[in-house]
């Protein structure tokens, strides 16, 4: 649905997006994760045909972003939630949506139905005739999401959809995004909120001018250090360590009577390790899996930690 | 080009203008003052010892004032129409819609053009009625309506108004403040005033031919400026450089 190949954007001598290549399937939620100033918004703007690319190319639902006629077709099938909510404060919630619905060439009956549906889904129907200028940040953000959906687009580009929202509003928006996934919409989310990415995205790209890594949240977590098994013993002694060396383990760290062991296949290796420790007279208190987090992956790929 | 999209953009701007008192006042006050004030001046001149010719020269010069007004009046609306979007950062979702630059710019032109010409036409009716009322005794006939005024209102006023809008669109895409845009836009007011001085000093006369020449010049400038404003309206610059 979204295909980018060596997509590059330069502003003078500054490269904002460098040779970006990735693919997003239909119905997939793709999280574009990176720090502020990484080039996420620039990428989203190129993909939604708002700004031109410097080199490389991208296709949205088969349409070429650099082709003038295709760009109009792309803009018809995508919905955009920009970083700033960018609503007309002097107009009511209903009029804001109606205006955009018309520009997206949404038929009147469909437009009315969509406005009602999305305002109700986002809990704003009661405020439909109220000027947007009086809305809270959260309400404006929800309304901006409704605006992105007003023409029932196939693809959604959401730039920091939960930025500046309180936890309750964030959850509403996150749940709403997951509801949209059920409707088979393809969703591209720019975020630096790791929790949000982990909860909503099928696939994540970690990006900082260049795409550092791409994969499912689980793949990214595992790519940090693979699997580790933590075994708490009553006491670690030389006999136990000597017995473990015979297992040809990749790496074993000892820390306060705790063994942290790198394992390739935990289901197969963990029982053998435990047997060996018990056989060497060790008393196991508990065994756990040390899980790397998306944050670990993020820091590793963005900062090189 | 889908003209109905331009109309959608224009009607949205009308709704916003209605909520802005400053815009409403700037739209009404000057035409109202002119439409009442100028006939009062004519009335005062007519009651003095001025000759019929002198009164007619003044009447023609005052009629031409509506061409100048058509240049001044859209300035606030046109600069707000673009800069308002810029200030409220609402251009990004607007540019994300399947709307072309021409549809957008034409919509912005209509949004400024219609209210201004509407107000000018309303004001000119008051002006013509009051002038006929005050000057009838002095010149012996109803001065308005006449062909000169018809030419001014139907040709020169719309073209002058469009010129002002195009200039303000161009300026607005380069500055960040409505007042700066207004002030820069008013620089071109000087040539209009030059023509007014020539009229009031009787160096040129207000005839249908002269008005046709003025209108032709305005038309050519309008067309050139439309293409310039379209060329200057760069989505890349708007989204990456406008602050």
């Amino acid at each position: 649905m979204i295909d980018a190949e060596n997509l590059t954007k330069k502003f003078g001598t500054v490269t904002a997006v460098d040779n970006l290549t990735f693919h997003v399937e239909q119905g997939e939620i793709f999280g574009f994760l990176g720090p502020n100033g990484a080039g996420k918004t620039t990428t989203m703007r190129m993909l939604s045909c708002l700004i031109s690319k410097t080199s490389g190319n991208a296709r949205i639902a088969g349409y070429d972003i650099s082709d003038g006629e295709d760009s109009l077709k792309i803009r018809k099938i995508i919905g955009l939630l920009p970083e700033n909510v960018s609503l007309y404060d002097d107009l009511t919630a209903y009029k804001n949506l109606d205006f955009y619905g018309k520009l997206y060439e949404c038929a009147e009956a469909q437009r009315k139905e969509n406005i009602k549906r999305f305002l109700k889904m986002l809990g704003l129907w009661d405020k439909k005739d109220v000027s947007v200028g009086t809305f809270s940040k959260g309400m404006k953000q929800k309304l901006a999401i409704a605006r992105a959906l007003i023409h029932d687009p196939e693809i959604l580009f959401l730039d920091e959809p939960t930025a500046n929202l309180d936890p309750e509003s964030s959850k509403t928006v996150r749940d709403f995004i997951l509801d949209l996934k059920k409707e088979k919409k393809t969703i591209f989310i720019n975020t630096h909120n790791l929790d949000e990415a982990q909860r909503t995205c099928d696939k994540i790209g970690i990006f900082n001018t260049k795409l550092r890594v791409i994969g499912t949240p689980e793949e990214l977590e595992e790519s940090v250090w693979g699997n580790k098994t933590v075994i708490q013993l009553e006491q670690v002694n030389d006999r136990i360590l000597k017995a473990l060396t015979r297992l040809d383990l990749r790496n074993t760290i000892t820390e306060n009577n705790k063994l942290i062991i790198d394992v390739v296949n935990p289901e197969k290796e963990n029982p053998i390790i435990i047997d060996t420790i018990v056989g060497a007279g060790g008393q196991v208190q508990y065994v756990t899996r040390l899980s790397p987090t998306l944050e670990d992956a993020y820091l590793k790929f963005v900062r090189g930690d | 080009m889908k003209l109905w999209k331009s109309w959608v953009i224009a009607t949205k701007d009308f709704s916003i203008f209605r909520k802005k008192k400053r815009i409403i006042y700037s739209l009404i006050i000057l035409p109202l003052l002119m439409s009442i004030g100028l006939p009062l001046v004519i009335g005062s001149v007519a009651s003095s010892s001025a000759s019929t010719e002198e009164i007619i020269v003044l009447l023609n010069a005052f009629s031409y004032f509506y061409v100048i007004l058509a240049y001044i009046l859209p300035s606030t609306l046109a600069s707000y129409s673009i800069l308002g979007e810029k200030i409220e950062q609402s251009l990004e979702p607007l540019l994300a819609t399947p709307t072309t630059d021409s549809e957008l710019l034409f919509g912005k032109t209509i949004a400024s053009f219609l209210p201004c010409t509407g107000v000018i036409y309303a004001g000119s009716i008051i002006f013509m009625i009051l002038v006929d009322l005050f000057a009838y005794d002095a010149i012996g006939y109803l001065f308005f309506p006449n062909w000169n005024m018809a030419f001014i209102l139907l040709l020169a006023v719309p073209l002058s108004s469009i010129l002002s809008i195009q200039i303000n669109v161009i300026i607005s895409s380069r500055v960040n403040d409505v007042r700066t845009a207004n002030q820069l836009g008013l620089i071109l007011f000087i040539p209009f005033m030059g023509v007014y001085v020539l009229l009031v000093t009787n160096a040129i006369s207000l005839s249908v031919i002269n008005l046709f020449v003025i209108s032709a010049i305005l038309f050519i400038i309008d067309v050139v400026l439309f293409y310039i404003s379209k060329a200057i309206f760069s989505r890349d610059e708007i989204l990456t450089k406008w602050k």
Side-chain angles (χ1 to χ4, degrees), chain A residues 96-148:
Chain A
N96 263 281
L97 296 186
D98 193 48
F99 169 65
Y100 281 98
K102 284 176 184 167
L103 290 184
Y104 277 111
E105 303 176 21
C106 197
E108 192 178 353
Q110 183 70 39
R111 202 167 66 236
K112 282 182 176 173
E113 192 189 312
N114 285 355
I115 292 173
K116 192 172 181 179
R117 180 177 152 222
F118 292 123
L119 286 181
K120 280 194 168 177
M121 277 174 89
L122 290 161
L124 292 172
W125 181 245
D126 292 344
K127 303 274 182 188
K128 70 180 189 331
D129 296 320
V130 176
S131 285
V132 170
T134 63
F135 279 22
S136 68
K137 272 185 184 172
M139 288 158 78
K140 283 184 176 178
Q141 187 79 353
K142 287 180 195 171
L143 186 62
I145 291 173
R147 178 186 59 196

Side-chain angles (χ1 to χ4, degrees), chain A residues 46-240:
Chain A
M46 280 193 284
L47 295 174
S48 46
C49 302
L50 282 169
I51 60 170
S52 60
K53 64 186 173 63
T54 304
S55 62
N57 205 6
R59 287 186 163 271
I60 308 290
Y63 298 119
D64 187 339
I65 61 159
S66 55
D67 183 281
E69 282 187 21
D70 276 7
S71 79
L72 276 178
K73 290 174 188 161
I74 291 171
R75 281 188 256 149
K76 263 187 194 174
I77 59 161
I78 65 167
L80 173 74
L81 171 74
E83 202 174 358
N84 296 306
V85 289
S86 317
L87 294 155
Y88 297 108
D89 281 355
D90 292 309
L91 300 184
T92 64
Y94 193 96
K95 281 190 175 170
N96 263 281
L97 296 186
D98 193 48
F99 169 65
Y100 281 98
K102 284 176 184 167
L103 290 184
Y104 277 111
E105 303 176 21
C106 197
E108 192 178 353
Q110 183 70 39
R111 202 167 66 236
K112 282 182 176 173
E113 192 189 312
N114 285 355
I115 292 173
K116 192 172 181 179
R117 180 177 152 222
F118 292 123
L119 286 181
K120 280 194 168 177
M121 277 174 89
L122 290 161
L124 292 172
W125 181 245
D126 292 344
K127 303 274 182 188
K128 70 180 189 331
D129 296 320
V130 176
S131 285
V132 170
T134 63
F135 279 22
S136 68
K137 272 185 184 172
M139 288 158 78
K140 283 184 176 178
Q141 187 79 353
K142 287 180 195 171
L143 186 62
I145 291 173
R147 178 186 59 196
L149 288 160
I150 196 66
H151 55 301
D152 219 0
E154 294 172 42
I155 304 166
L156 265 176
F157 287 98
L158 308 176
D159 201 351
E160 307 284 358
T162 58
N164 304 318
L165 294 185
D166 59 58
E168 195 186 344
S169 299
S170 294
K171 189 180 180 314
T172 309
V173 169
R174 258 197 321 270
D175 291 345
F176 188 66
I177 292 170
L178 291 170
D179 282 345
L180 293 172
K181 183 180 161 61
K182 288 176 198 159
E183 295 179 23
K184 297 281 173 208
K185 293 204 187 294
T186 308
I187 305 172
F188 183 103
I189 303 177
N190 269 358
T191 184
H192 48 227
N193 185 329
L194 303 173
D195 182 49
E196 176 180 287
Q198 195 154 27
R199 285 173 193 235
T200 53
C201 299
D202 300 309
K203 199 156 78 182
I204 288 170
I206 295 179
F207 178 79
N208 195 0
T209 309
K210 284 181 175 212
L211 185 65
R212 302 301 170 101
V213 67
I214 194 164
T216 63
E218 295 75 28
E219 282 169 351
L220 294 187
E221 286 165 3
E222 282 177 14
S223 70
V224 180
W225 59 55
N227 291 302
K228 284 182 195 286
T229 298
V230 181
I231 305 163
Q232 178 70 54
L233 300 174
E234 192 181 89
Q235 193 174 18
V236 175
N237 57 40
D238 287 346
R239 201 173 155 208
I240 295 168

Side-chain angles (χ1 to χ4, degrees), chain B residues 21-23 25-26 72 74-84 86-87 167-168 171-172 174-187:
Chain B
K21 280 184 184 164
R22 195 175 68 83
I23 287 179
Y25 293 150
S26 71
I72 298 170
S75 172
T76 309
L77 256 68
S79 49
Y80 186 83
S81 183
I82 295 283
L83 278 171
K86 195 168 166 179
I87 292 162
I167 284 174
N168 275 285
I171 293 170
S172 299
R174 288 284 175 270
V175 299
N176 288 311
D177 172 56
V178 176
R179 280 185 189 167
T180 313
N182 281 173
Q183 284 158 3
L184 285 171
L186 288 178
I187 289 172

Side-chain angles (χ1 to χ4, degrees), chain B residues 81-163:
Chain B
S81 183
I82 295 283
L83 278 171
E85 302 265 8
K86 195 168 166 179
I87 292 162
E88 291 186 17
Q89 297 179 311
S90 50
L91 269 171
E92 188 167 359
L94 187 57
L95 294 175
T97 62
T99 308
T100 63
D101 292 351
S102 301
E103 286 159 359
L104 181 58
L105 287 172
F106 191 58
K108 293 289 175 190
T109 304
I110 301 170
S112 307
F113 177 80
L114 286 185
C116 292
T117 23
V119 169
I120 288 172
Y121 284 175
S124 69
I125 291 169
I126 299 171
F127 169 75
M128 288 188 283
I129 292 169
L130 291 179
V131 163
D132 279 344
L133 209 65
F134 294 146
Y136 182 78
D137 288 343
I139 60 175
Y141 62 95
L142 292 176
F143 188 76
F144 293 119
N146 61 36
W147 282 111
N148 281 349
M149 199 57 177
F151 236 83
I152 283 172
L153 291 177
L154 298 176
L155 208 60
V157 161
L159 290 168
S160 173
S161 184
I162 292 168
L163 171 71

